[in-house]
Each structure stands twice: as C-alpha cells, then as structure tokens.
C-alpha cells in the first residue's frame, strides 16, 4: 500500500475527511461527523495502518478510495483519524 510508507499530516487529513465525504458514513467527534452507515470511529479507535488499509482497499460496505485519493491524502486522513481517536 503506497500510503503506508508515507508520513501523514493530521491537519491536512481533517480536510480530506471532510472533502472525501467520510462524515456521510462515519461518526467522528473531532470532525463533527455523525454518520451511522459505517463504524463509529470514536468507538473503533482504528490504528493508522488499519485506516490506510480500509481507505485504500475498502472492505464490506466501505468502498476503495485508491482511485479518488492520492497516497499522501490517504496517509493524511489515516493520521487524522488515528490521532483523533487515540487509535
């Protein structure tokens, strides 16, 4: 996974979370997001590595975003989610 070797920027990742539509499906208090389709990220506390994997490859109802987001954007959103949740 290309994003796995990159250092993410949590501040930039917050913008990616908003612009990529993550809030439509996920709850994440740091992003004022209350979606109920996907997992509640505050509860799941995913690691940086898990976010990179899910955003890149998708799983279950989660689509892959590898064609919509650049590897750096994936690394950034992973840094944001994992730092916001303590994952």
């Amino acid at each position: 996974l290309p994003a796995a070797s990159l250092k993410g920027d949590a501040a930039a990742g917050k913008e990616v979370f908003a612009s990529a539509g993550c809030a439509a499906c996920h709850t994440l208090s740091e992003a004022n997001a209350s979606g109920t389709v996907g997992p509640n990220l505050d509860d799941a506390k995913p690691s940086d590595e898990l976010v990179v994997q899910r955003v890149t490859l998708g799983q279950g109802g989660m689509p892959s975003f590898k064609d919509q987001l650049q590897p750096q954007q994936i690394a950034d959103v992973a840094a944001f989610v994992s730092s916001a949740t303590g994952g």
Side-chain angles (χ1 to χ4, degrees):
L1 303 175
S5 63
L6 300 173
K7 177 158 177 52
D9 177 320
K14 185 171 186 175
E15 293 180 27
V16 174
F17 191 94
S19 65
C22 306
C25 294
H26 294 287
T27 292
L28 181 60
S29 59
E30 183 74 21
N32 295 317
S34 56
T36 58
V37 175
N40 178 324
L41 299 173
D42 291 318
D43 292 343
K45 298 181 179 4
S47 67
D48 188 86
E49 296 80 14
L50 182 60
V51 178
V52 167
Q53 182 180 28
R54 291 291 189 272
V55 173
T56 304
L57 304 175
Q59 181 172 322
M62 169 88 177
S64 166
F65 282 83
K66 68 182 177 193
D67 294 332
Q68 289 93 341
L69 299 174
Q70 296 298 316
Q72 186 62 58
Q73 291 175 299
I74 294 172
D76 292 345
V77 78
F80 169 62
V81 171
S82 64
S83 67
T85 63

Coordinates of all heavy atoms in Angstrom, one line a residue:
L1 N 0.8 -1.2 0.0 CA 0.0 0.0 0.0 C 0.9 1.2 0.0 O 1.6 1.5 1.0 CB -0.9 0.0 1.2 CG -1.8 -1.2 1.4 CD1 -2.5 -1.2 2.7 CD2 -2.7 -1.4 0.3
P2 N 0.8 2.0 -1.0 CA 1.7 3.2 -1.2 C 1.6 4.2 0.0 O 2.7 4.7 0.5 CB 1.3 3.9 -2.4 CG 0.6 2.8 -3.2 CD 0.0 1.9 -2.2
A3 N 0.4 4.4 0.6 CA 0.3 5.4 1.7 C 0.9 4.9 3.0 O 1.2 5.7 3.8 CB -1.2 5.7 1.9
A4 N 1.1 3.6 3.1 CA 1.7 3.0 4.3 C 3.1 3.5 4.6 O 3.5 3.6 5.8 CB 1.6 1.5 4.3
S5 N 3.8 3.9 3.6 CA 5.2 4.3 3.8 C 5.3 5.8 3.9 O 6.4 6.3 4.1 CB 6.1 3.8 2.6 OG 5.6 4.4 1.4
L6 N 4.2 6.5 3.9 CA 4.2 8.0 3.9 C 3.9 8.5 5.3 O 3.1 7.8 6.1 CB 3.2 8.6 2.9 CG 3.5 8.2 1.5 CD1 2.3 8.7 0.6 CD2 4.8 8.8 1.0
K7 N 4.4 9.6 5.7 CA 4.0 10.2 7.0 C 2.8 11.1 6.8 O 2.9 12.0 5.9 CB 5.2 11.0 7.5 CG 4.9 11.8 8.8 CD 6.1 12.1 9.6 CE 5.8 12.9 10.9 NZ 4.8 12.3 11.7
G8 N 1.8 10.8 7.5 CA 0.5 11.6 7.3 C 0.6 12.9 8.1 O 1.2 13.0 9.2
D9 N -0.2 13.9 7.7 CA -0.4 15.2 8.3 C -1.8 15.2 8.8 O -2.7 15.3 8.0 CB -0.1 16.3 7.4 CG -0.3 17.7 7.9 OD1 -1.3 17.9 8.7 OD2 0.5 18.6 7.6
A10 N -2.0 15.2 10.1 CA -3.4 15.1 10.7 C -4.2 16.3 10.3 O -5.4 16.2 10.0 CB -3.4 14.9 12.2
A11 N -3.6 17.5 10.3 CA -4.4 18.7 9.9 C -4.9 18.6 8.5 O -6.0 19.0 8.2 CB -3.5 20.0 10.1
A12 N -4.0 18.2 7.6 CA -4.4 18.0 6.2 C -5.5 16.9 6.1 O -6.4 17.0 5.3 CB -3.2 17.7 5.3
G13 N -5.3 15.9 6.9 CA -6.3 14.7 6.9 C -7.7 15.1 7.4 O -8.6 14.5 6.9
K14 N -7.8 16.1 8.2 CA -9.1 16.6 8.6 C -9.8 17.2 7.4 O -11.0 16.9 7.3 CB -9.0 17.6 9.8 CG -10.3 18.1 10.3 CD -10.1 18.9 11.5 CE -11.5 19.3 12.2 NZ -11.4 20.0 13.4
E15 N -9.1 17.9 6.6 CA -9.7 18.4 5.4 C -10.1 17.3 4.4 O -11.1 17.4 3.8 CB -8.7 19.4 4.7 CG -8.5 20.7 5.5 CD -7.6 21.6 4.8 OE1 -7.4 21.6 3.6 OE2 -6.9 22.4 5.6
V16 N -9.3 16.3 4.3 CA -9.6 15.1 3.4 C -10.8 14.4 3.9 O -11.7 14.0 3.1 CB -8.4 14.2 3.3 CG1 -8.8 12.9 2.5 CG2 -7.2 14.8 2.7
F17 N -10.9 14.2 5.2 CA -12.1 13.6 5.8 C -13.3 14.3 5.4 O -14.3 13.7 5.0 CB -11.9 13.6 7.4 CG -12.9 12.7 8.1 CD1 -12.6 11.4 8.4 CD2 -14.2 13.2 8.4 CE1 -13.5 10.6 9.1 CE2 -15.1 12.4 9.1 CZ -14.8 11.0 9.4
A18 N -13.3 15.6 5.5 CA -14.5 16.4 5.1 C -14.7 16.4 3.6 O -15.9 16.1 3.2 CB -14.3 17.9 5.6
S19 N -13.7 16.6 2.8 CA -13.9 16.7 1.3 C -14.2 15.3 0.7 O -14.9 15.3 -0.4 CB -12.7 17.3 0.7 OG -11.6 16.5 0.8
A20 N -13.7 14.2 1.2 CA -14.0 12.9 0.6 C -15.3 12.3 1.0 O -15.7 11.3 0.5 CB -12.8 12.0 1.0
G21 N -16.0 13.0 1.9 CA -17.4 12.5 2.3 C -17.4 11.5 3.4 O -18.4 10.8 3.6
C22 N -16.3 11.4 4.1 CA -16.2 10.3 5.2 C -17.3 10.5 6.2 O -17.9 9.5 6.7 CB -14.9 10.4 5.9 SG -13.5 10.3 4.8
A23 N -17.7 11.7 6.5 CA -18.7 12.0 7.5 C -20.1 11.5 7.1 O -21.0 11.4 8.0 CB -18.8 13.5 7.8
A24 N -20.3 11.2 5.9 CA -21.6 10.7 5.4 C -21.9 9.3 6.0 O -23.0 9.0 6.2 CB -21.7 10.7 3.9
C25 N -20.8 8.6 6.3 CA -21.0 7.2 6.8 C -20.4 7.0 8.2 O -20.9 6.1 8.9 CB -20.3 6.3 5.8 SG -21.0 6.2 4.2
H26 N -19.5 7.8 8.6 CA -18.8 7.6 9.9 C -19.1 8.6 10.9 O -19.2 9.8 10.6 CB -17.3 7.5 9.7 CG -16.9 6.3 8.9 ND1 -16.9 5.0 9.3 CD2 -16.4 6.2 7.6 CE1 -16.4 4.2 8.4 NE2 -16.2 4.9 7.3
T27 N -19.1 8.2 12.2 CA -19.1 9.1 13.3 C -17.7 9.4 13.8 O -16.9 8.4 13.9 CB -19.9 8.5 14.5 OG1 -21.3 8.5 14.1 CG2 -19.8 9.4 15.8
L28 N -17.3 10.6 13.9 CA -16.0 11.0 14.4 C -16.2 12.4 15.0 O -16.4 13.4 14.3 CB -15.0 11.0 13.3 CG -13.6 11.4 13.8 CD1 -13.0 10.4 14.8 CD2 -12.6 11.5 12.6
S29 N -16.2 12.5 16.4 CA -16.5 13.7 17.0 C -15.5 14.9 16.6 O -15.9 16.0 16.5 CB -16.5 13.5 18.6 OG -15.2 13.1 19.0
E30 N -14.2 14.5 16.4 CA -13.2 15.6 16.1 C -13.6 16.2 14.7 O -13.2 17.4 14.5 CB -11.9 14.9 16.0 CG -10.7 15.9 15.7 CD -10.3 16.8 16.8 OE1 -10.6 16.4 18.0 OE2 -9.7 17.8 16.6
A31 N -14.4 15.5 13.9 CA -14.8 16.1 12.6 C -16.2 16.5 12.6 O -16.8 16.8 11.5 CB -14.5 15.0 11.5
N32 N -16.9 16.5 13.8 CA -18.3 16.8 13.9 C -19.1 16.0 12.9 O -20.1 16.4 12.3 CB -18.6 18.3 13.6 CG -17.9 19.2 14.6 OD1 -18.0 18.9 15.8 ND2 -17.3 20.3 14.2
A33 N -18.7 14.7 12.8 CA -19.4 13.7 11.9 C -20.2 12.8 12.7 O -19.8 12.3 13.8 CB -18.3 13.0 11.1
S34 N -21.4 12.5 12.2 CA -22.3 11.6 12.9 C -23.0 10.6 12.0 O -24.2 10.3 12.2 CB -23.4 12.4 13.7 OG -24.1 13.3 12.8
G35 N -22.3 10.1 11.0 CA -22.8 9.1 10.1 C -23.0 7.8 10.8 O -22.3 7.5 11.8
T36 N -24.0 7.0 10.3 CA -24.3 5.8 11.0 C -24.2 4.6 10.1 O -24.6 3.5 10.5 CB -25.7 5.8 11.6 OG1 -26.6 6.1 10.6 CG2 -25.8 6.9 12.7
V37 N -23.7 4.7 8.9 CA -23.6 3.6 7.9 C -22.4 2.8 8.2 O -22.5 1.5 8.3 CB -23.6 4.1 6.5 CG1 -23.4 3.0 5.5 CG2 -24.8 4.9 6.1
G38 N -21.3 3.4 8.4 CA -20.0 2.7 8.7 C -19.8 2.7 10.2 O -20.5 3.3 11.0
P39 N -18.7 2.1 10.6 CA -18.3 2.1 12.0 C -18.1 3.5 12.6 O -17.7 4.4 12.0 CB -17.0 1.3 12.0 CG -16.9 0.6 10.8 CD -17.7 1.4 9.8
N40 N -18.5 3.5 13.9 CA -18.2 4.7 14.7 C -16.7 4.8 15.0 O -16.2 3.9 15.7 CB -19.1 4.7 16.0 CG -18.8 5.9 16.9 OD1 -17.7 6.4 17.0 ND2 -19.8 6.3 17.6
L41 N -16.0 5.7 14.4 CA -14.6 5.7 14.5 C -14.1 6.1 15.9 O -13.0 5.7 16.4 CB -14.0 6.6 13.5 CG -14.3 6.2 12.0 CD1 -13.8 7.3 11.1 CD2 -13.7 4.9 11.7
D42 N -14.9 6.8 16.7 CA -14.6 7.2 18.0 C -14.5 5.9 18.9 O -13.7 5.7 19.8 CB -15.6 8.1 18.6 CG -15.5 9.5 18.0 OD1 -14.4 10.0 17.8 OD2 -16.6 10.1 17.8
D43 N -15.5 5.0 18.6 CA -15.5 3.7 19.4 C -14.5 2.7 18.8 O -13.8 2.0 19.6 CB -16.9 3.1 19.3 CG -18.0 3.9 20.0 OD1 -17.6 4.7 20.8 OD2 -19.2 3.7 19.7
A44 N -14.3 2.7 17.5 CA -13.4 1.7 16.9 C -11.9 2.0 17.2 O -11.1 1.0 17.3 CB -13.6 1.6 15.4
K45 N -11.6 3.3 17.3 CA -10.2 3.7 17.5 C -9.2 3.0 16.6 O -8.3 2.3 17.1 CB -9.8 3.5 19.0 CG -10.6 4.3 20.0 CD -10.2 4.0 21.4 CE -10.9 4.8 22.4 NZ -12.0 5.6 22.1
P46 N -9.4 3.1 15.3 CA -8.5 2.3 14.4 C -7.1 2.9 14.4 O -6.9 4.1 14.5 CB -9.2 2.5 13.0 CG -9.9 3.9 13.1 CD -10.4 3.9 14.6
S47 N -6.2 2.0 14.1 CA -4.8 2.4 14.0 C -4.6 3.1 12.7 O -5.4 2.9 11.8 CB -3.9 1.1 14.1 OG -4.1 0.3 13.0
D48 N -3.5 3.8 12.6 CA -3.1 4.4 11.3 C -3.0 3.4 10.2 O -3.6 3.6 9.1 CB -1.7 5.1 11.5 CG -1.3 6.0 10.4 OD1 -1.7 7.1 10.4 OD2 -0.6 5.5 9.5
E49 N -2.4 2.2 10.5 CA -2.3 1.2 9.5 C -3.6 0.7 9.0 O -3.8 0.4 7.8 CB -1.4 0.0 10.0 CG 0.0 0.4 10.4 CD 0.2 1.1 11.7 OE1 -0.8 1.1 12.5 OE2 1.3 1.7 11.9
L50 N -4.6 0.5 9.9 CA -5.9 0.0 9.6 C -6.6 1.0 8.7 O -7.3 0.6 7.7 CB -6.7 -0.4 10.8 CG -8.1 -1.0 10.5 CD1 -8.0 -2.3 9.7 CD2 -8.8 -1.3 11.8
V51 N -6.5 2.2 9.0 CA -7.2 3.3 8.2 C -6.6 3.3 6.8 O -7.4 3.3 5.8 CB -7.1 4.7 8.9 CG1 -7.8 5.7 8.0 CG2 -7.8 4.7 10.2
V52 N -5.3 3.2 6.7 CA -4.7 3.2 5.4 C -5.2 2.0 4.6 O -5.6 2.1 3.4 CB -3.1 3.1 5.5 CG1 -2.5 2.7 4.1 CG2 -2.6 4.4 6.0
Q53 N -5.3 0.8 5.2 CA -5.7 -0.4 4.5 C -7.2 -0.3 4.1 O -7.5 -0.5 2.9 CB -5.6 -1.6 5.5 CG -6.0 -2.9 4.8 CD -5.8 -4.1 5.8 OE1 -5.9 -3.9 7.0 NE2 -5.6 -5.2 5.2
R54 N -8.1 0.2 5.0 CA -9.5 0.3 4.6 C -9.8 1.3 3.6 O -10.6 1.1 2.7 CB -10.3 0.6 5.9 CG -10.4 -0.5 6.9 CD -11.2 -1.7 6.4 NE -11.4 -2.7 7.4 CZ -10.6 -3.7 7.8 NH1 -9.5 -3.8 7.1 NH2 -10.9 -4.5 8.8
V55 N -9.1 2.5 3.7 CA -9.4 3.5 2.7 C -8.8 3.1 1.3 O -9.4 3.4 0.3 CB -8.8 4.9 3.2 CG1 -8.9 6.0 2.1 CG2 -9.4 5.4 4.5
T56 N -7.7 2.5 1.3 CA -7.1 2.1 0.1 C -7.8 0.9 -0.6 O -8.1 0.9 -1.8 CB -5.6 1.7 0.3 OG1 -4.9 2.7 0.9 CG2 -4.9 1.3 -1.1
L57 N -8.1 -0.1 0.2 CA -8.7 -1.4 -0.4 C -10.2 -1.5 -0.2 O -10.8 -2.3 -1.0 CB -8.0 -2.6 0.3 CG -6.5 -2.6 0.2 CD1 -5.9 -3.8 1.0 CD2 -6.1 -2.7 -1.3
G58 N -10.8 -0.8 0.8 CA -12.2 -1.0 1.1 C -12.4 -2.3 1.8 O -11.5 -3.1 1.9
Q59 N -13.6 -2.5 2.3 CA -14.0 -3.8 2.9 C -15.5 -3.7 3.2 O -15.9 -2.7 3.8 CB -13.2 -4.1 4.1 CG -13.6 -5.5 4.7 CD -12.7 -6.0 5.8 OE1 -11.5 -5.7 5.7 NE2 -13.2 -6.6 6.8
G60 N -16.2 -4.8 2.9 CA -17.6 -4.8 3.2 C -18.3 -3.7 2.5 O -18.1 -3.5 1.3
G61 N -19.0 -2.8 3.2 CA -19.7 -1.7 2.6 C -18.8 -0.5 2.3 O -19.2 0.5 1.6
M62 N -17.6 -0.5 2.8 CA -16.6 0.6 2.6 C -16.0 0.4 1.2 O -15.3 -0.6 1.0 CB -15.6 0.5 3.7 CG -14.4 1.4 3.5 SD -14.7 3.0 4.1 CE -13.1 3.8 3.8
P63 N -16.2 1.4 0.3 CA -15.5 1.3 -1.0 C -14.1 1.7 -0.9 O -13.6 2.3 0.0 CB -16.3 2.4 -1.8 CG -16.7 3.4 -0.8 CD -17.0 2.6 0.5
S64 N -13.3 1.3 -1.9 CA -11.9 1.7 -2.0 C -11.9 3.1 -2.5 O -12.6 3.5 -3.3 CB -11.2 0.8 -3.0 OG -10.0 1.4 -3.4
F65 N -11.0 3.9 -1.9 CA -10.8 5.3 -2.4 C -9.4 5.5 -3.1 O -9.0 6.6 -3.3 CB -10.8 6.2 -1.1 CG -12.3 6.5 -0.7 CD1 -12.9 5.6 0.1 CD2 -12.9 7.6 -1.1 CE1 -14.2 5.8 0.5 CE2 -14.3 7.8 -0.7 CZ -14.9 6.9 0.1
K66 N -8.8 4.3 -3.5 CA -7.5 4.5 -4.1 C -7.5 5.2 -5.4 O -6.5 5.7 -5.9 CB -6.8 3.1 -4.2 CG -7.5 2.2 -5.2 CD -6.8 0.8 -5.3 CE -7.5 -0.1 -6.2 NZ -7.1 -1.5 -6.1
D67 N -8.7 5.2 -6.1 CA -8.8 5.9 -7.4 C -9.2 7.4 -7.2 O -9.2 8.1 -8.1 CB -9.7 5.2 -8.3 CG -9.2 3.8 -8.7 OD1 -8.0 3.7 -8.8 OD2 -10.0 2.9 -9.0
Q68 N -9.7 7.7 -6.0 CA -10.2 9.1 -5.7 C -9.2 9.9 -4.9 O -9.2 11.1 -5.0 CB -11.5 9.0 -4.9 CG -12.7 8.6 -5.7 CD -12.9 7.1 -5.6 OE1 -12.1 6.3 -5.2 NE2 -14.1 6.6 -5.9
L69 N -8.4 9.2 -4.1 CA -7.4 10.0 -3.3 C -6.0 9.6 -3.6 O -5.7 8.4 -3.9 CB -7.7 9.6 -1.8 CG -9.1 10.0 -1.2 CD1 -9.2 9.5 0.2 CD2 -9.2 11.5 -1.3
Q70 N -5.1 10.5 -3.5 CA -3.7 10.3 -3.7 C -3.1 9.5 -2.5 O -3.7 9.7 -1.4 CB -2.9 11.6 -3.9 CG -3.3 12.3 -5.2 CD -3.0 11.5 -6.4 OE1 -1.9 10.9 -6.6 NE2 -4.0 11.5 -7.3
P71 N -2.0 8.8 -2.6 CA -1.5 8.1 -1.4 C -1.2 9.1 -0.2 O -1.5 8.7 0.9 CB -0.2 7.5 -1.9 CG -0.5 7.2 -3.4 CD -1.3 8.4 -3.8
Q72 N -0.7 10.3 -0.5 CA -0.5 11.3 0.6 C -1.8 11.6 1.3 O -1.8 11.8 2.5 CB 0.2 12.5 0.1 CG 0.6 13.5 1.2 CD 1.6 12.8 2.2 OE1 2.7 12.4 1.8 NE2 1.2 12.8 3.5
Q73 N -2.9 11.8 0.5 CA -4.2 12.1 1.1 C -4.6 11.0 2.0 O -5.2 11.2 3.1 CB -5.2 12.4 0.0 CG -5.0 13.7 -0.7 CD -6.0 13.8 -1.9 OE1 -6.0 13.0 -2.8 NE2 -6.8 14.9 -1.8
I74 N -4.4 9.7 1.6 CA -4.8 8.6 2.4 C -4.0 8.5 3.7 O -4.5 8.3 4.8 CB -4.7 7.3 1.6 CG1 -5.7 7.3 0.4 CG2 -4.8 6.0 2.5 CD1 -5.5 6.1 -0.6
A75 N -2.7 8.8 3.6 CA -1.8 8.9 4.8 C -2.3 10.0 5.7 O -2.3 9.8 6.9 CB -0.4 9.1 4.4
D76 N -2.7 11.1 5.1 CA -3.1 12.2 5.9 C -4.4 11.9 6.7 O -4.5 12.2 7.9 CB -3.3 13.5 5.1 CG -2.0 14.0 4.5 OD1 -0.9 13.7 5.0 OD2 -2.1 14.9 3.6
V77 N -5.4 11.3 6.0 CA -6.7 11.0 6.7 C -6.5 9.9 7.7 O -7.1 10.0 8.8 CB -7.8 10.7 5.7 CG1 -7.7 9.3 5.1 CG2 -9.2 10.9 6.3
A78 N -5.5 9.0 7.5 CA -5.2 8.0 8.4 C -4.6 8.6 9.7 O -5.0 8.3 10.8 CB -4.3 6.9 7.9
A79 N -3.7 9.6 9.5 CA -3.1 10.3 10.6 C -4.1 11.0 11.4 O -4.1 11.0 12.7 CB -2.0 11.2 10.1
F80 N -5.1 11.7 10.7 CA -6.1 12.4 11.4 C -7.0 11.5 12.2 O -7.3 11.7 13.4 CB -7.0 13.2 10.4 CG -8.2 13.8 11.0 CD1 -8.1 14.7 12.0 CD2 -9.5 13.4 10.5 CE1 -9.3 15.3 12.5 CE2 -10.6 13.9 11.1 CZ -10.5 14.9 12.1
V81 N -7.5 10.4 11.6 CA -8.5 9.5 12.3 C -7.8 8.8 13.5 O -8.3 8.8 14.6 CB -9.1 8.5 11.3 CG1 -9.8 7.4 12.1 CG2 -9.9 9.2 10.3
S82 N -6.6 8.3 13.3 CA -5.9 7.6 14.4 C -5.5 8.6 15.5 O -5.6 8.2 16.7 CB -4.7 6.8 13.9 OG -3.7 7.6 13.4
S83 N -5.1 9.8 15.2 CA -4.8 10.7 16.3 C -6.0 11.3 17.0 O -6.0 11.4 18.2 CB -3.9 11.9 15.7 OG -4.7 12.7 14.9
A84 N -7.1 11.4 16.2 CA -8.3 12.0 16.8 C -9.0 10.9 17.8 O -9.7 11.3 18.7 CB -9.3 12.3 15.8
T85 N -8.8 9.7 17.5 CA -9.4 8.6 18.3 C -8.5 7.9 19.3 O -8.9 7.1 20.1 CB -10.0 7.5 17.4 OG1 -8.9 6.9 16.7 CG2 -11.0 8.1 16.4
G86 N -7.2 8.2 19.2 CA -6.2 7.6 20.1 C -6.0 6.1 19.6 O -5.5 5.3 20.4
G87 N -6.2 5.9 18.3 CA -6.1 4.5 17.8 C -4.7 4.1 17.5 O -3.7 4.8 17.7

